[in-house]
Amino acid sequence: MTRRLDGPERYTVVSADCHAGADLLDYRPYLPQRYHEAFDAWAADYVNPFTDLMAPEATRNWDSDRRLAELEQDGIVAEVVFPNTVPPFFPSASLTAVQPTAAEFELRWAGLQAHNRWMADFCAKAQGRRAGTFQILLNDVDAAVAEVRRCHASGLTGGLVLPGVPPGSSVPELWSEVYEPLWAVCAELDVPVNHHAGSASPQLGEEPAARAVFMVETTWFSHRALWHLAFAGVFHRHPALKLVLTEQGSGWIPGVLDMLEYYHRRLVGAATRAATAESKFGVGLAELMGDGPRAAWERNCFVGASFMRAHEVPMRDQIGLDKIMWGSDFPHDEGTYPFTTEALRTSFAGVPFEEVAAMVGGNAARVYGFDLDALDAVATKVGPLVDEVAQPLTEVPPGATSPVFAKGASVRVW
């Protein structure tokens, strides 16, 4: 945040949810030479299914100077960068891809590592302004652990993108003890574990109803990582581990925490009563978890609250003011660009300065290791004006496409 003598002037905005990736052929140099022939054959036949990666706007995924300029124009001084473009050997975006079969694993793994190497170079072009995330696959936990160490050493401070495990997946569910080395290395190196929406949903098909159901359910499937890790005792064994649930909304959190606490108490209590119908469901749970799910949330968890909507903001104390990290979702159509100030007005008008400053920048700086003092210096020139954000938005800007502006999604009673 930046201040004038008589009070705050501008916010220092760090987007906890942005996306980037290389142009398709630019991944080739990041692959080991033994995969070049296979890459050339794959790239020659590849048909891009995403119109936004073919339009002139696609260059903002990999054009560092353009990206910095557009983010600054929108009032954003730093970003956590998730994947966006299609890495080698994937049929579509890797962020939403299911875990590969054993036959697919070698090439897909090489493709993800190429993306990770590209991401490190991309973030190095804007030192201190980008926290790049990196991807793994869960088919080979030892290889995943080695990639965590390599990516951490390469300067990717955004942390691990945890793949989703939909029901019926070819790999174990996230609560499985097979992943213990992964949690251990992330806790050891202080690497945030990010679980982004879209990667945990089962494939439902292309019928109109299937597509609608996917949209309704996709965030719920992403929420599952929270209770899988909590009931597996991961947070109890690794109290320093950070789990970030990104682009899943935030209004669901208080109710889900109440539900998880209820089941925790119910199952632990049942385990102490012999010969009841429920006693077997809670056996060993108290020892495994230590404390309850709410304590784990308060100690270990954060939310990447992309384009946080107005009706969610009054829940901030129930969610945890220190847990919320606003995100713009740049450069997606549902993101707030180029109307970030208007989006902030929609959500945060009337909220005290110190609280807004934490949610739009301070919390993300702490979780992802940004130098907030250095970012403040940039924000003095480009950050959204505090006085402007304090004014409720009365008219949606023409051309705004973010759900934060949708009718009924951001209604606040004044």
Side-chain angles (χ1 to χ4, degrees), residues 150-412:
R150 191 195 67 76
C151 289
H152 175 264
S154 76
L156 287 173
T157 57
L160 164 72
V161 180
L162 180 64
V165 181
S169 180
S170 61
V171 298
E173 295 271 14
L174 290 176
W175 45 257
S176 172
E177 64 182 14
V178 73
Y179 301 124
E180 180 62 18
L182 185 60
W183 317 133
V185 71
C186 289
E188 173 197 339
L189 299 177
D190 194 25
V191 168
V193 175
N194 305 282
H195 196 55
H196 194 283
S199 68
S201 301
Q203 302 299 304
L204 299 180
E206 292 301 321
E207 295 86 355
R211 292 196 297 267
V213 168
F214 176 89
M215 287 298 295
V216 170
E217 295 181 346
T218 188
T219 54
W220 182 86
F221 278 104
S222 298
H223 301 342
R224 295 171 75 230
L226 171 61
W227 53 82
H228 279 223
L229 270 62
F231 284 114
V234 171
F235 301 125
H236 176 52
R237 295 191 298 278
H238 306 288
L241 187 70
K242 298 173 183 173
L243 175 68
V244 183
L245 301 170
T246 298
E247 204 176 330
Q248 304 176 28
S250 57
W252 59 275
I253 293 169
V256 165
L257 291 178
D258 288 344
M259 177 195 71
L260 298 180
E261 281 291 302
Y262 162 75
Y263 276 106
H264 177 258
R265 290 193 301 269
R266 174 177 166 180
L267 295 175
V268 168
T272 65
R273 298 188 294 273
T276 66
E278 290 195 344
S279 60
K280 65 178 181 180
F281 291 102
V283 172
L285 194 61
E287 296 79 10
L288 188 65
M289 292 183 65
D291 44 23
R294 189 178 302 276
W297 173 265
E298 292 172 353
R299 183 181 61 240
N300 297 88
C301 301
F302 303 86
V303 56
S306 304
F307 40 79
M308 192 176 189
R309 294 170 292 174
H311 74 272
E312 297 173 305
V313 176
M315 305 179 196
R316 61 191 182 276
D317 289 330
Q318 296 170 272
I319 297 167
L321 184 64
D322 61 335
K323 303 293 181 184
I324 298 167
M325 302 181 293
W326 179 90
S328 72
D329 201 27
F330 180 88
H332 289 167
D333 289 342
E334 64 268 30
T336 59
Y337 176 85
F339 303 111
T340 285
T341 296
E342 291 84 354
L344 296 177
R345 290 173 61 188
T346 299
S347 300
F348 298 118
V351 177
F353 167 79
E354 297 289 348
E355 297 186 13
V356 177
M359 290 186 283
V360 303
N363 292 337
R366 173 169 46 85
V367 170
Y368 292 105
F370 288 105
D371 183 339
L372 198 55
D373 290 337
L375 296 181
D376 283 347
V378 182
T380 58
K381 303 174 184 177
V382 303
L385 291 167
V386 171
D387 291 344
E388 187 174 2
V389 173
Q391 301 301 314
L393 190 71
T394 58
E395 186 175 346
V396 175
T401 55
S402 174
V404 76
F405 300 115
K407 277 189 175 182
S410 302
V411 175
R412 174 178 288 169

Side-chain angles (χ1 to χ4, degrees), residues 89 91 98-110 137 139:
F89 310 118
V98 299
Q99 292 298 289
T101 65
E104 296 166 335
F105 173 73
E106 180 182 356
L107 289 179
R108 297 268 183 100
W109 183 231
L137 294 173
N139 306 63

Side-chain angles (χ1 to χ4, degrees), residues 9-33:
E9 182 177 3
R10 293 181 184 270
Y11 286 112
T12 298
V13 180
V14 178
S15 172
D17 180 30
C18 289
H19 296 265
D23 198 2
L24 189 71
L25 297 180
D26 289 341
Y27 280 121
R28 190 179 192 271
Y30 292 95
L31 284 164
Q33 190 171 2

